[in-house]
Amino acid sequence: MPDALAKRLIFGTLVLLVVIVLSLPTIVVLGASFTAGNIIAFPPEGFSLKWYEKIALAADLRNAFGRSLLVALVCTLIALPAGTLAGLAFAKYRLRFTTVLQTYLLLPFTVPLIGSGIALMLVFGQMRLLGQVWPVGLAACIINLPFMIWAVSSSALGLDPDLEWAAQSCGAPPVSTFLYVTLPAVMPGVISGGLLMFILALNEFLVSLLLTDARTVTLPVQIYNSIRSIITPDLAAVSVVFIAAAAFFVFVLDRLVGLDIFLKSK
Amino acid sequence: MKAQQRGSTVTETTTIPAVSVRDVDCVFGTHKAVDGASFDLHKGRFLTILGPSGSGKTTLLRMIAGFERPTRGAISINGVPVGAAPPHKRAIGMVFQRLALFPHMSAEENIAFPLIMRRFDARTIPDRVARYLDLVQLGPFARRRIHELSGGQQQRVAIARALVFEPDLLLLDEPLAALDRKLREEMQLEFRRIQHELGVTTINVTHDQREALVVSDEVIVMDKGRIQQMAPPTETYRAPANSFVAGFIGVTNLIPATLLTANGSAVRVATPAGEWPGTWQGQTVPAPGDGVTLAIRAEKLRFAPKDTALAGVDHSCSATVADLIFEGERVVYEFSLERAPNRTIRIIDANPAEHSLLARGAHVTLGFSAKDMLVFPT
């Protein structure tokens, strides 16, 4: 009995410690954003929403946020068909060069983002695509696509391998089989993969830093640029908006497919 | 009885068989999964293809369904060669091993799916779905999602989905294998009831010999890609075509031996336990010196305590009880023969309540009739 108690005590302490360490930055930023003073400080001096007012009125931040949304949208729209089909192919067929392909798809994770960023900058520069917003979305899609593929293929691997045969024996030709059976059956993977791609593109910083200029700057880059001049609490407020956006998408994910399914698929 | 069966076969062959398989091979790389399979199945019959795993039974079923292409040979359904027709253009209902129900649909949506895909008149679909839900006794569960149904209920949805469009042929790919014994036996009877009620021609694949005997009108036994025998269950059991069939169905003692003399089908063989009489089962004329396999059913052997005479047996020998397995309604004895102690013989005592059980090590006399000792070419 004392043994069990000690075990619970140690375990509880460890969990608490981890939770504190993980959430501390969020708490600090959250607190700092409500300060009434003029510098980022924690604990905040007084309480005010003035910094939120400021960022809501700041046109550059608003525009940057709009561009970030556009980047996230472009990224998701490309990732949905590409990642779904690739994920299904990996789960369903014994492809030739499967390991080679999988390693290739892992490359964006193993190559430092700065490397991918420079490579994409060179390629896009050559193709004269720099200076527009949508190529940033394409870049975000390229570097994060493995997440989408994994989400879909783990969803597809959980399916009965005879599912498509069953649809055919019901009289469904190949296209109907895909539309009415395969696709709906892997929808949890498609939705969680899609939302993940959206969040990742929304938050993407390093590659965007290399691919954007003053006219196409996205929100994370805009925040970074501001830090380099003066650090004021409005940056904390922007960060809170960011965190809130991410939390919103996690909430949507939970409502649509259930967080437990999403976490299991990883 | 045999003559009568033959007579009915003659009248049936004048009509077109529901399924006709002719000299079908299926080769994967260098592996011949199915080797020269041929059979005819008549309308309304329930056929079970029985065999160990890797015997080619599932491949044969998949070729009939259209999921695999025969490397050689032809398959016809109702007299029409199906050739390269894709599965969705064949009027075949199928129940899959893991059922393969559509997880994102309710029970009734699963059952309606084949009707929608096969372009049934939309106004008739709800009635028809309701009728088949009733047939499989799932009326109250129509709107449940698949994962909200029990294993047995999922089986019923799968059956209804396979039958709702009135297919020419129903295929069952071991759908009962994963169920526990009680539910499996219940579903076997359910399959038979539905099949009788609708009269749909059915091909069932299984490795469960009991299921094959219980549900079928005809049984095909397969091994190593070849059809070993096709016959009604009683004939498969009583007159196995070869030692594989004899050994695969029922509890059978298989003993290697050498042929000594032959007089018509009455033969004498040399076994490790001496010279025994038997009955020749091969197609060819037995030749002395040939290696043979003896097969005798565990319930065809008789035994009595040592020095008690066994009446009505053609041969007897001494043995001791090596082990006994008490199964409630029957006892399976394992005897070791006195003249060949390493050779155990299994005997089923179907009436253990009528006398006291023998103890391990007890001495007994075993006996059998020559007509029950089946002798197959090796």
Side-chain angles (χ1 to χ4, degrees), chain A residues 60-111:
Chain A
D60 53 345
L61 283 177
R62 265 211 328 262
N63 292 339
F65 186 58
R67 281 192 290 270
S68 271
L69 283 177
L70 181 63
V71 164
L73 196 68
V74 169
C75 167
T76 310
L77 287 181
I78 300 171
L80 280 176
T84 303
L85 295 176
L88 282 173
F90 271 120
K92 211 174 102 186
Y93 303 110
R94 285 231 195 121
L95 294 174
R96 256 179 292 178
F97 317 121
T98 304
T99 36
V100 177
L101 274 171
Q102 266 164 348
T103 317
Y104 176 75
L105 284 165
L106 276 170
L107 273 183
F109 291 167
T110 47
V111 170

